[in-house]
Amino acid sequence: MPQSPSEKALIPFVSVENMMRLVHHVGIETMLVELTDVIEEDFRRWESFDKTPRIASHSREGVIELMPTSDGVLYGFKYVNGHPSNKVEGLQTVTAFGLLAKVSTGYPVLLTEMTLLTALRTAATSAMAARHLAPKGAKVMAMIGNGAQAEFQALAMKVVLGIEEVRLYDIDRRATEKTVRNLEGSGLRVTACTSAQSAIEGAAIITTCTADKQFATILTDNMVGAGVHINAIGGDCPGKTELHRDILLRADTFVEYPPQTRIEGEIQQMAPDYPVTELWRVVRGEAEGRRDAGQITLFDSVGFATEDFSALRYVREKLKGTDFYQEIDIIADPDDPRDLFGMLQRAR
Amino acid sequence: MPQSPSEKALIPFVSVENMMRLVHHVGIETMLVELTDVIEEDFRRWESFDKTPRIASHSREGVIELMPTSDGVLYGFKYVNGHPSNKVEGLQTVTAFGLLAKVSTGYPVLLTEMTLLTALRTAATSAMAARHLAPKGAKVMAMIGNGAQAEFQALAMKVVLGIEEVRLYDIDRRATEKTVRNLEGSGLRVTACTSAQSAIEGAAIITTCTADKQFATILTDNMVGAGVHINAIGGDCPGKTELHRDILLRADTFVEYPPQTRIEGEIQQMAPDYPVTELWRVVRGEAEGRRDAGQITLFDSVGFATEDFSALRYVREKLKGTDFYQEIDIIADPDDPRDLFGMLQRAR
């Protein structure tokens, strides 16, 4: 009979079901606020992180990426895919899971689903950036692209920034209807619009979050008025952008990690030395965020490994004292570490 | 109440316990033979793979690595650490787990422990290389470094190459004693030696597999006679080598993937253009392996992602029709893929 695994060999695994339980236990709005703060905390200690552009494996249908980072104490990585055509087959466009490990031993300490967690951390990152870049007192957000991320974005902007109205547009009317339905009772005024143009009317923040893997023009230059903050999260891999380049020329662009954003973000349309400001410098007060009421600010967000790291360490904290996880036996742990073979033999 | 996850959302997870059951079900010797063949098969179709050096995160204590690859149909990666000091704390030096996913959707199809599987695939890779490089009729192998990999190496060389005697040496006598004990009844003649020098007496294959993270000299030039095959698997990260460079100057060096081996292997001691032969070209008959009986061949092995890919696809095949796995709910799978938020809401 196999021996039962020792305690050292067990690591907590958070399934999708347990992640949903955790979110409801904490409260989704509280979780978005707390995640925003944790992500900002890690942006503030940017130089502590071992940073590298994510490692992407591209195919005709999509991309699979590994996003590792480390702060010297913990190491985290996320596995994430992006397959726009998945939704045709009833599958998720983006699914993800992640892991946290101790740097000192390399032993994992947490394995978790990250499809839900990515939606939460992406929304929290957008809210964190908007806190530094959006015009003061912004009350209305346009949300172009009403897919899986839409409600998370809307709620985060509500609880972190005080947004009161979201104006929705999607080329697929059913996506908008789904979002309207889900945001009932959220405390937000929700307006379904029939064009991108009408969605952005009166909006101080414009969030673009569409999924097509191609150069698209969700926003053209004439649509974008002075003073708005653009939260562009859909242009996030090579060949995939959402904004007309003329908008970029009028805006001040803020990014997570330039070596990655120049490959994946809206600025892949621009020259390699196109001027950008790193968001962490704004968070730390070392660079200017919003300068004046007429400035167009653009958060060219592609998603960065530190944001997942922040989310992973947050979940690890929140799990303490709960039963929202299973323990799985993923590490071989013989009594004598050199005796892996003996462990195998004794299991016969 | 949370809804139970749909079938699409479940993926098979092979725990350490189930991997041990699988190994005994197949038989460890059969598994080593089959793995050797599967790994060779994938070396033969080398150009089908998307190859990249592994992504390493180094710390004072060790290294954590991600090793991705893809053949265009399946994508695989391994998480693996190397922490020589772990054994002091009773932890494994190397632990690993891996994942296989469909390229077309990005959906995972297998998550598995890979600590045991890495030991098996490393031994199988060594045997595969020796099949092409070792002198014909080799019967004796010296095994320097008697840690967690030792028995796997010995058995693979026995079943794949027909090795009849292993001569063991380790600076820690207890490691040798452990290996002697574990190889009782293996059908191998096992000789414990008190020096590296005596271990290599009469050996046609010399395997070095030590774990210190430093430039070490396990073998010096005068120890290595004409005609031997050196299977060097312990020098596998920057700053970690086992052979004196003079040995390299006398040997023909064969490697897995030059961009990775030049950073991590024994040849990190040599100039960046030091001549090496890629093993896949030998496997395919496009390059010469062993030329004559006097030649010293060196397999400067660091471990490459395709080997893990081969092992992962092998395990996936072998699992069919067995119950050596659990199903885990790691992918969020709403009925409408755009309705992630609705899934979360309904779980409340």
mmCIF file of all heavy atoms in Angstrom, chain A residues 8 16 24 79 81 83 86 91-92 101 103 105-107 172 178 182 329 337-339 344, chain B residues 8 16 24 79 81 83 86 91-92 101 103 105-107 172 178 182 329 334 337-339 344:
data_model
loop_
_atom_site.group_PDB
_atom_site.id
_atom_site.type_symbol
_atom_site.label_atom_id
_atom_site.label_comp_id
_atom_site.label_asym_id
_atom_site.label_seq_id
_atom_site.Cartn_x
_atom_site.Cartn_y
_atom_site.Cartn_z
ATOM 1 N N LYS A 8 4.680 17.645 4.582
ATOM 2 C CA LYS A 8 5.525 18.475 3.724
ATOM 3 C C LYS A 8 5.118 18.381 2.265
ATOM 4 O O LYS A 8 5.336 19.282 1.494
ATOM 5 C CB LYS A 8 6.981 17.990 3.825
ATOM 6 C CG LYS A 8 7.751 18.628 4.938
ATOM 7 C CD LYS A 8 9.251 18.511 4.698
ATOM 8 C CE LYS A 8 9.758 17.091 4.837
ATOM 9 N NZ LYS A 8 10.209 16.737 6.173
ATOM 10 N N VAL A 16 -11.914 26.036 -8.828
ATOM 11 C CA VAL A 16 -12.823 27.106 -9.240
ATOM 12 C C VAL A 16 -13.954 27.248 -8.219
ATOM 13 O O VAL A 16 -14.306 28.358 -7.808
ATOM 14 C CB VAL A 16 -13.397 26.811 -10.638
ATOM 15 C CG1 VAL A 16 -14.418 27.868 -11.024
ATOM 16 C CG2 VAL A 16 -12.275 26.744 -11.672
ATOM 17 N N HIS A 24 -17.155 34.986 -2.405
ATOM 18 C CA HIS A 24 -18.397 35.342 -1.726
ATOM 19 C C HIS A 24 -18.193 35.504 -0.219
ATOM 20 O O HIS A 24 -18.857 36.307 0.418
ATOM 21 C CB HIS A 24 -19.484 34.309 -2.028
ATOM 22 C CG HIS A 24 -19.950 34.387 -3.449
ATOM 23 N ND1 HIS A 24 -20.453 35.556 -3.991
ATOM 24 C CD2 HIS A 24 -19.949 33.474 -4.454
ATOM 25 C CE1 HIS A 24 -20.750 35.340 -5.268
ATOM 26 N NE2 HIS A 24 -20.444 34.102 -5.580
ATOM 27 N N TYR A 79 -0.100 30.392 -15.578
ATOM 28 C CA TYR A 79 -0.327 29.812 -16.898
ATOM 29 C C TYR A 79 -1.608 30.453 -17.392
ATOM 30 O O TYR A 79 -2.615 30.444 -16.686
ATOM 31 C CB TYR A 79 -0.512 28.303 -16.776
ATOM 32 C CG TYR A 79 -1.056 27.627 -18.033
ATOM 33 C CD1 TYR A 79 -0.206 26.937 -18.890
ATOM 34 C CD2 TYR A 79 -2.414 27.663 -18.350
ATOM 35 C CE1 TYR A 79 -0.696 26.312 -20.033
ATOM 36 C CE2 TYR A 79 -2.911 27.046 -19.495
ATOM 37 C CZ TYR A 79 -2.051 26.375 -20.330
ATOM 38 O OH TYR A 79 -2.534 25.765 -21.453
ATOM 39 N N ASN A 81 -4.050 31.202 -21.116
ATOM 40 C CA ASN A 81 -4.201 31.129 -22.562
ATOM 41 C C ASN A 81 -5.118 32.253 -23.043
ATOM 42 O O ASN A 81 -5.864 32.841 -22.256
ATOM 43 C CB ASN A 81 -4.788 29.779 -22.992
ATOM 44 C CG ASN A 81 -6.281 29.709 -22.703
ATOM 45 O OD1 ASN A 81 -6.658 29.787 -21.542
ATOM 46 N ND2 ASN A 81 -7.111 29.580 -23.724
ATOM 47 N N HIS A 83 -7.560 32.489 -26.440
ATOM 48 C CA HIS A 83 -8.035 31.853 -27.671
ATOM 49 C C HIS A 83 -9.387 32.453 -28.037
ATOM 50 O O HIS A 83 -10.435 31.934 -27.624
ATOM 51 C CB HIS A 83 -8.156 30.336 -27.477
ATOM 52 C CG HIS A 83 -6.854 29.615 -27.467
ATOM 53 N ND1 HIS A 83 -5.952 29.733 -26.443
ATOM 54 C CD2 HIS A 83 -6.274 28.779 -28.381
ATOM 55 C CE1 HIS A 83 -4.875 28.993 -26.712
ATOM 56 N NE2 HIS A 83 -5.048 28.412 -27.883
ATOM 57 N N ASN A 86 -12.320 30.317 -28.977
ATOM 58 C CA ASN A 86 -12.874 29.356 -28.011
ATOM 59 C C ASN A 86 -14.358 29.554 -27.766
ATOM 60 O O ASN A 86 -15.089 28.592 -27.567
ATOM 61 C CB ASN A 86 -12.136 29.467 -26.668
ATOM 62 C CG ASN A 86 -10.956 28.514 -26.576
ATOM 63 O OD1 ASN A 86 -10.616 27.856 -27.552
ATOM 64 N ND2 ASN A 86 -10.339 28.452 -25.414
ATOM 65 N N LEU A 91 -16.226 27.469 -25.104
ATOM 66 C CA LEU A 91 -15.122 27.450 -24.134
ATOM 67 C C LEU A 91 -14.725 28.881 -23.776
ATOM 68 O O LEU A 91 -15.013 29.824 -24.510
ATOM 69 C CB LEU A 91 -13.923 26.711 -24.731
ATOM 70 C CG LEU A 91 -14.150 25.255 -25.177
ATOM 71 C CD1 LEU A 91 -12.906 24.716 -25.864
ATOM 72 C CD2 LEU A 91 -14.525 24.380 -23.988
ATOM 73 N N GLN A 92 -14.038 29.020 -22.662
ATOM 74 C CA GLN A 92 -13.529 30.322 -22.234
ATOM 75 C C GLN A 92 -12.416 30.831 -23.157
ATOM 76 O O GLN A 92 -11.524 30.055 -23.523
ATOM 77 C CB GLN A 92 -12.913 30.196 -20.840
ATOM 78 C CG GLN A 92 -13.881 30.125 -19.710
ATOM 79 C CD GLN A 92 -14.480 31.475 -19.435
ATOM 80 O OE1 GLN A 92 -15.667 31.662 -19.600
ATOM 81 N NE2 GLN A 92 -13.662 32.432 -19.064
ATOM 82 N N ALA A 101 5.477 29.704 -4.803
ATOM 83 C CA ALA A 101 6.453 28.797 -4.187
ATOM 84 C C ALA A 101 7.426 29.601 -3.334
ATOM 85 O O ALA A 101 7.585 30.807 -3.521
ATOM 86 C CB ALA A 101 7.222 28.035 -5.267
ATOM 87 N N VAL A 103 11.008 30.759 -2.489
ATOM 88 C CA VAL A 103 12.282 30.882 -3.199
ATOM 89 C C VAL A 103 13.375 30.070 -2.505
ATOM 90 O O VAL A 103 14.215 29.454 -3.157
ATOM 91 C CB VAL A 103 12.693 32.368 -3.301
ATOM 92 C CG1 VAL A 103 14.135 32.511 -3.764
ATOM 93 C CG2 VAL A 103 11.747 33.108 -4.251
ATOM 94 N N THR A 105 13.361 27.256 -0.952
ATOM 95 C CA THR A 105 13.363 25.793 -1.132
ATOM 96 C C THR A 105 12.831 25.362 -2.494
ATOM 97 O O THR A 105 12.993 24.204 -2.879
ATOM 98 C CB THR A 105 12.456 25.111 -0.080
ATOM 99 O OG1 THR A 105 11.104 25.561 -0.270
ATOM 100 C CG2 THR A 105 12.904 25.426 1.332
ATOM 101 N N GLY A 106 12.156 26.242 -3.199
ATOM 102 C CA GLY A 106 11.522 25.862 -4.457
ATOM 103 C C GLY A 106 10.237 25.081 -4.269
ATOM 104 O O GLY A 106 9.620 24.666 -5.247
ATOM 105 N N TYR A 107 9.835 24.873 -3.022
ATOM 106 C CA TYR A 107 8.613 24.099 -2.773
ATOM 107 C C TYR A 107 7.372 24.962 -2.975
ATOM 108 O O TYR A 107 7.272 26.061 -2.428
ATOM 109 C CB TYR A 107 8.614 23.562 -1.337
ATOM 110 C CG TYR A 107 9.250 22.205 -1.204
ATOM 111 C CD1 TYR A 107 10.466 21.925 -1.815
ATOM 112 C CD2 TYR A 107 8.640 21.189 -0.472
ATOM 113 C CE1 TYR A 107 11.051 20.675 -1.698
ATOM 114 C CE2 TYR A 107 9.225 19.933 -0.346
ATOM 115 C CZ TYR A 107 10.426 19.683 -0.960
ATOM 116 O OH TYR A 107 11.013 18.451 -0.846
ATOM 117 N N ASP A 172 -21.837 42.444 -30.297
ATOM 118 C CA ASP A 172 -22.839 41.401 -30.072
ATOM 119 C C ASP A 172 -23.805 41.887 -28.982
ATOM 120 O O ASP A 172 -23.437 41.982 -27.817
ATOM 121 C CB ASP A 172 -22.149 40.101 -29.653
ATOM 122 C CG ASP A 172 -23.131 38.959 -29.475
ATOM 123 O OD1 ASP A 172 -24.357 39.213 -29.372
ATOM 124 O OD2 ASP A 172 -22.672 37.803 -29.445
ATOM 125 N N LYS A 178 -26.317 40.491 -21.440
ATOM 126 C CA LYS A 178 -25.791 39.682 -20.335
ATOM 127 C C LYS A 178 -25.188 40.574 -19.252
ATOM 128 O O LYS A 178 -25.414 40.394 -18.050
ATOM 129 C CB LYS A 178 -24.737 38.712 -20.897
ATOM 130 C CG LYS A 178 -23.983 37.896 -19.905
ATOM 131 C CD LYS A 178 -22.495 38.157 -19.660
ATOM 132 C CE LYS A 178 -21.723 39.187 -20.396
ATOM 133 N NZ LYS A 178 -20.365 39.430 -19.875
ATOM 134 N N ASN A 182 -26.344 41.116 -15.374
ATOM 135 C CA ASN A 182 -25.448 40.806 -14.251
ATOM 136 C C ASN A 182 -25.208 42.006 -13.337
ATOM 137 O O ASN A 182 -24.837 41.830 -12.176
ATOM 138 C CB ASN A 182 -24.113 40.291 -14.766
ATOM 139 C CG ASN A 182 -24.189 38.849 -15.245
ATOM 140 O OD1 ASN A 182 -25.091 38.111 -14.861
ATOM 141 N ND2 ASN A 182 -23.249 38.457 -16.091
ATOM 142 N N ASP A 329 -1.278 16.244 -3.298
ATOM 143 C CA ASP A 329 0.000 15.557 -3.081
ATOM 144 C C ASP A 329 0.770 15.651 -4.399
ATOM 145 O O ASP A 329 0.729 14.779 -5.239
ATOM 146 C CB ASP A 329 -0.397 14.118 -2.677
ATOM 147 C CG ASP A 329 0.632 13.057 -2.949
ATOM 148 O OD1 ASP A 329 1.819 13.391 -2.898
ATOM 149 O OD2 ASP A 329 0.233 11.898 -3.213
ATOM 150 N N PRO A 337 15.697 12.502 1.523
ATOM 151 C CA PRO A 337 15.485 13.159 0.234
ATOM 152 C C PRO A 337 16.263 12.518 -0.918
ATOM 153 O O PRO A 337 15.872 12.653 -2.067
ATOM 154 C CB PRO A 337 15.946 14.600 0.471
ATOM 155 C CG PRO A 337 16.687 14.599 1.751
ATOM 156 C CD PRO A 337 16.189 13.438 2.543
ATOM 157 N N ARG A 338 17.354 11.823 -0.598
ATOM 158 C CA ARG A 338 18.105 11.175 -1.677
ATOM 159 C C ARG A 338 17.497 9.838 -2.057
ATOM 160 O O ARG A 338 17.925 9.191 -2.989
ATOM 161 C CB ARG A 338 19.562 10.971 -1.248
ATOM 162 C CG ARG A 338 20.347 12.259 -1.208
ATOM 163 C CD ARG A 338 21.701 12.011 -0.599
ATOM 164 N NE ARG A 338 21.574 11.279 0.667
ATOM 165 C CZ ARG A 338 22.533 11.206 1.569
ATOM 166 N NH1 ARG A 338 23.680 11.793 1.360
ATOM 167 N NH2 ARG A 338 22.343 10.534 2.683
ATOM 168 N N ASP A 339 16.479 9.438 -1.265
ATOM 169 C CA ASP A 339 15.976 8.084 -1.472
ATOM 170 C C ASP A 339 14.628 8.070 -2.187
ATOM 171 O O ASP A 339 13.665 7.444 -1.749
ATOM 172 C CB ASP A 339 15.891 7.347 -0.134
ATOM 173 C CG ASP A 339 15.823 5.841 -0.342
ATOM 174 O OD1 ASP A 339 16.063 5.395 -1.499
ATOM 175 O OD2 ASP A 339 15.516 5.116 0.615
ATOM 176 N N LEU A 344 9.657 4.937 -3.922
ATOM 177 C CA LEU A 344 8.912 4.275 -5.000
ATOM 178 C C LEU A 344 8.827 2.769 -4.752
ATOM 179 O O LEU A 344 7.760 2.158 -4.884
ATOM 180 C CB LEU A 344 9.607 4.575 -6.334
ATOM 181 C CG LEU A 344 9.063 3.908 -7.597
ATOM 182 C CD1 LEU A 344 7.618 4.321 -7.850
ATOM 183 C CD2 LEU A 344 9.931 4.272 -8.810
ATOM 184 N N LYS B 8 -16.264 19.594 -18.916
ATOM 185 C CA LYS B 8 -15.206 20.341 -19.609
ATOM 186 C C LYS B 8 -14.201 20.939 -18.643
ATOM 187 O O LYS B 8 -13.066 21.158 -18.983
ATOM 188 C CB LYS B 8 -15.834 21.502 -20.393
ATOM 189 C CG LYS B 8 -16.274 21.133 -21.786
ATOM 190 C CD LYS B 8 -16.431 22.367 -22.639
ATOM 191 C CE LYS B 8 -17.589 23.237 -22.238
ATOM 192 N NZ LYS B 8 -18.838 22.964 -22.907
ATOM 193 N N VAL B 16 1.578 12.217 -6.558
ATOM 194 C CA VAL B 16 2.762 11.384 -6.371
ATOM 195 C C VAL B 16 2.345 9.940 -6.121
ATOM 196 O O VAL B 16 2.907 9.009 -6.697
ATOM 197 C CB VAL B 16 3.599 11.909 -5.181
ATOM 198 C CG1 VAL B 16 4.783 10.991 -4.927
ATOM 199 C CG2 VAL B 16 4.075 13.334 -5.446
ATOM 200 N N HIS B 24 4.343 1.186 -10.943
ATOM 201 C CA HIS B 24 4.324 -0.236 -10.590
ATOM 202 C C HIS B 24 3.375 -1.024 -11.481
ATOM 203 O O HIS B 24 3.619 -2.192 -11.779
ATOM 204 C CB HIS B 24 3.983 -0.417 -9.111
ATOM 205 C CG HIS B 24 5.084 0.053 -8.220
ATOM 206 N ND1 HIS B 24 6.370 -0.437 -8.316
ATOM 207 C CD2 HIS B 24 5.124 0.994 -7.246
ATOM 208 C CE1 HIS B 24 7.141 0.160 -7.427
ATOM 209 N NE2 HIS B 24 6.409 1.050 -6.771
ATOM 210 N N TYR B 79 7.422 22.747 -14.249
ATOM 211 C CA TYR B 79 7.967 23.586 -13.177
ATOM 212 C C TYR B 79 8.970 22.707 -12.450
ATOM 213 O O TYR B 79 8.623 21.587 -12.068
ATOM 214 C CB TYR B 79 6.844 23.986 -12.228
ATOM 215 C CG TYR B 79 7.314 24.603 -10.918
ATOM 216 C CD1 TYR B 79 7.284 25.974 -10.728
ATOM 217 C CD2 TYR B 79 7.768 23.810 -9.861
ATOM 218 C CE1 TYR B 79 7.698 26.545 -9.528
ATOM 219 C CE2 TYR B 79 8.195 24.364 -8.660
ATOM 220 C CZ TYR B 79 8.146 25.744 -8.504
ATOM 221 O OH TYR B 79 8.562 26.304 -7.323
ATOM 222 N N ASN B 81 12.447 22.830 -9.575
ATOM 223 C CA ASN B 81 13.416 23.594 -8.794
ATOM 224 C C ASN B 81 14.677 22.775 -8.615
ATOM 225 O O ASN B 81 14.675 21.550 -8.792
ATOM 226 C CB ASN B 81 12.839 23.971 -7.420
ATOM 227 C CG ASN B 81 12.829 22.776 -6.484
ATOM 228 O OD1 ASN B 81 12.168 21.794 -6.766
ATOM 229 N ND2 ASN B 81 13.596 22.841 -5.399
ATOM 230 N N HIS B 83 17.562 22.910 -5.593
ATOM 231 C CA HIS B 83 18.033 23.546 -4.361
ATOM 232 C C HIS B 83 18.927 22.559 -3.611
ATOM 233 O O HIS B 83 18.448 21.781 -2.773
ATOM 234 C CB HIS B 83 16.842 23.959 -3.484
ATOM 235 C CG HIS B 83 16.123 25.178 -3.964
ATOM 236 N ND1 HIS B 83 15.347 25.173 -5.105
ATOM 237 C CD2 HIS B 83 16.083 26.454 -3.477
ATOM 238 C CE1 HIS B 83 14.850 26.395 -5.283
ATOM 239 N NE2 HIS B 83 15.275 27.192 -4.322
ATOM 240 N N ASN B 86 18.540 21.885 0.062
ATOM 241 C CA ASN B 86 17.284 21.315 0.570
ATOM 242 C C ASN B 86 17.491 20.038 1.368
ATOM 243 O O ASN B 86 16.798 19.787 2.345
ATOM 244 C CB ASN B 86 16.320 21.008 -0.587
ATOM 245 C CG ASN B 86 15.401 22.191 -0.897
ATOM 246 O OD1 ASN B 86 15.551 23.263 -0.327
ATOM 247 N ND2 ASN B 86 14.460 21.968 -1.795
ATOM 248 N N LEU B 91 14.477 18.016 2.698
ATOM 249 C CA LEU B 91 13.621 18.250 1.528
ATOM 250 C C LEU B 91 14.326 17.750 0.275
ATOM 251 O O LEU B 91 15.544 17.595 0.248
ATOM 252 C CB LEU B 91 13.319 19.751 1.389
ATOM 253 C CG LEU B 91 12.633 20.427 2.577
ATOM 254 C CD1 LEU B 91 12.524 21.936 2.344
ATOM 255 C CD2 LEU B 91 11.249 19.839 2.823
ATOM 256 N N GLN B 92 13.550 17.538 -0.779
ATOM 257 C CA GLN B 92 14.093 17.122 -2.064
ATOM 258 C C GLN B 92 14.904 18.237 -2.712
ATOM 259 O O GLN B 92 14.473 19.390 -2.719
ATOM 260 C CB GLN B 92 12.942 16.816 -3.025
ATOM 261 C CG GLN B 92 12.274 15.486 -2.816
ATOM 262 C CD GLN B 92 13.146 14.360 -3.302
ATOM 263 O OE1 GLN B 92 13.590 13.543 -2.509
ATOM 264 N NE2 GLN B 92 13.415 14.317 -4.579
ATOM 265 N N ALA B 101 -1.361 20.739 -22.411
ATOM 266 C CA ALA B 101 -2.588 21.440 -22.827
ATOM 267 C C ALA B 101 -2.756 21.312 -24.331
ATOM 268 O O ALA B 101 -1.790 21.054 -25.054
ATOM 269 C CB ALA B 101 -2.502 22.919 -22.438
ATOM 270 N N VAL B 103 -3.093 22.892 -27.831
ATOM 271 C CA VAL B 103 -2.715 24.158 -28.466
ATOM 272 C C VAL B 103 -3.940 24.857 -29.055
ATOM 273 O O VAL B 103 -4.070 26.074 -28.994
ATOM 274 C CB VAL B 103 -1.664 23.908 -29.572
ATOM 275 C CG1 VAL B 103 -1.480 25.138 -30.447
ATOM 276 C CG2 VAL B 103 -0.334 23.502 -28.943
ATOM 277 N N THR B 105 -7.014 25.086 -28.087
ATOM 278 C CA THR B 105 -7.922 25.771 -27.164
ATOM 279 C C THR B 105 -7.205 26.364 -25.951
ATOM 280 O O THR B 105 -7.780 27.188 -25.240
ATOM 281 C CB THR B 105 -8.987 24.802 -26.597
ATOM 282 O OG1 THR B 105 -8.318 23.767 -25.861
ATOM 283 C CG2 THR B 105 -9.807 24.175 -27.718
ATOM 284 N N GLY B 106 -5.978 25.926 -25.690
ATOM 285 C CA GLY B 106 -5.286 26.371 -24.481
ATOM 286 C C GLY B 106 -5.762 25.663 -23.228
ATOM 287 O O GLY B 106 -5.288 25.963 -22.135
ATOM 288 N N TYR B 107 -6.705 24.733 -23.376
ATOM 289 C CA TYR B 107 -7.231 24.033 -22.200
ATOM 290 C C TYR B 107 -6.275 22.920 -21.759
ATOM 291 O O TYR B 107 -5.869 22.094 -22.568
ATOM 292 C CB TYR B 107 -8.602 23.426 -22.507
ATOM 293 C CG TYR B 107 -9.757 24.349 -22.217
ATOM 294 C CD1 TYR B 107 -9.733 25.672 -22.643
ATOM 295 C CD2 TYR B 107 -10.875 23.904 -21.515
ATOM 296 C CE1 TYR B 107 -10.790 26.521 -22.377
ATOM 297 C CE2 TYR B 107 -11.943 24.750 -21.248
ATOM 298 C CZ TYR B 107 -11.896 26.055 -21.679
ATOM 299 O OH TYR B 107 -12.945 26.902 -21.419
ATOM 300 N N ASP B 172 29.566 11.025 0.179
ATOM 301 C CA ASP B 172 28.831 10.604 1.372
ATOM 302 C C ASP B 172 28.578 9.098 1.267
ATOM 303 O O ASP B 172 27.789 8.635 0.455
ATOM 304 C CB ASP B 172 27.508 11.370 1.454
ATOM 305 C CG ASP B 172 26.736 11.039 2.723
ATOM 306 O OD1 ASP B 172 27.028 10.008 3.378
ATOM 307 O OD2 ASP B 172 25.823 11.817 3.064
ATOM 308 N N LYS B 178 22.803 3.506 0.516
ATOM 309 C CA LYS B 178 21.383 3.559 0.137
ATOM 310 C C LYS B 178 21.183 3.000 -1.272
ATOM 311 O O LYS B 178 20.252 2.218 -1.541
ATOM 312 C CB LYS B 178 20.921 5.024 0.219
ATOM 313 C CG LYS B 178 19.541 5.333 -0.261
ATOM 314 C CD LYS B 178 19.312 6.101 -1.572
ATOM 315 C CE LYS B 178 20.400 6.693 -2.356
ATOM 316 N NZ LYS B 178 20.015 7.254 -3.659
ATOM 317 N N ASN B 182 19.081 -0.281 -2.489
ATOM 318 C CA ASN B 182 17.948 -0.173 -3.411
ATOM 319 C C ASN B 182 18.122 -1.008 -4.675
ATOM 320 O O ASN B 182 17.138 -1.367 -5.313
ATOM 321 C CB ASN B 182 17.718 1.287 -3.815
ATOM 322 C CG ASN B 182 17.056 2.092 -2.707
ATOM 323 O OD1 ASN B 182 16.410 1.524 -1.823
ATOM 324 N ND2 ASN B 182 17.220 3.397 -2.749
ATOM 325 N N ASP B 329 -10.849 20.506 -10.595
ATOM 326 C CA ASP B 329 -11.681 21.557 -11.168
ATOM 327 C C ASP B 329 -10.839 22.838 -11.180
ATOM 328 O O ASP B 329 -10.883 23.643 -10.269
ATOM 329 C CB ASP B 329 -12.919 21.624 -10.243
ATOM 330 C CG ASP B 329 -13.640 22.938 -10.222
ATOM 331 O OD1 ASP B 329 -13.640 23.621 -11.248
ATOM 332 O OD2 ASP B 329 -14.222 23.273 -9.158
ATOM 333 N N PRO B 334 -18.144 28.551 -17.372
ATOM 334 C CA PRO B 334 -19.553 28.965 -17.361
ATOM 335 C C PRO B 334 -20.277 28.426 -18.597
ATOM 336 O O PRO B 334 -19.644 28.137 -19.604
ATOM 337 C CB PRO B 334 -19.471 30.494 -17.410
ATOM 338 C CG PRO B 334 -18.130 30.804 -17.976
ATOM 339 C CD PRO B 334 -17.230 29.661 -17.627
ATOM 340 N N PRO B 337 -19.524 31.247 -22.223
ATOM 341 C CA PRO B 337 -18.128 31.578 -21.888
ATOM 342 C C PRO B 337 -17.916 33.059 -21.545
ATOM 343 O O PRO B 337 -16.957 33.388 -20.859
ATOM 344 C CB PRO B 337 -17.350 31.184 -23.149
ATOM 345 C CG PRO B 337 -18.349 30.975 -24.220
ATOM 346 C CD PRO B 337 -19.639 30.624 -23.546
ATOM 347 N N ARG B 338 -18.820 33.920 -22.040
ATOM 348 C CA ARG B 338 -18.649 35.337 -21.700
ATOM 349 C C ARG B 338 -19.245 35.665 -20.345
ATOM 350 O O ARG B 338 -19.136 36.786 -19.870
ATOM 351 C CB ARG B 338 -19.318 36.214 -22.767
ATOM 352 C CG ARG B 338 -18.563 36.220 -24.082
ATOM 353 C CD ARG B 338 -19.362 36.909 -25.135
ATOM 354 N NE ARG B 338 -20.719 36.364 -25.196
ATOM 355 C CZ ARG B 338 -21.549 36.545 -26.205
ATOM 356 N NH1 ARG B 338 -21.163 37.264 -27.246
ATOM 357 N NH2 ARG B 338 -22.763 36.027 -26.196
ATOM 358 N N ASP B 339 -19.904 34.659 -19.748
ATOM 359 C CA ASP B 339 -20.642 34.966 -18.525
ATOM 360 C C ASP B 339 -19.946 34.431 -17.290
ATOM 361 O O ASP B 339 -20.538 33.751 -16.454
ATOM 362 C CB ASP B 339 -22.065 34.408 -18.631
ATOM 363 C CG ASP B 339 -22.981 35.087 -17.619
ATOM 364 O OD1 ASP B 339 -22.550 36.108 -17.026
ATOM 365 O OD2 ASP B 339 -24.090 34.587 -17.400
ATOM 366 N N LEU B 344 -20.166 33.179 -11.308
ATOM 367 C CA LEU B 344 -19.778 33.543 -9.942
ATOM 368 C C LEU B 344 -21.000 33.940 -9.107
ATOM 369 O O LEU B 344 -21.171 33.500 -7.974
ATOM 370 C CB LEU B 344 -18.764 34.696 -10.004
ATOM 371 C CG LEU B 344 -18.278 35.295 -8.690
ATOM 372 C CD1 LEU B 344 -17.573 34.249 -7.840
ATOM 373 C CD2 LEU B 344 -17.335 36.467 -8.955
#
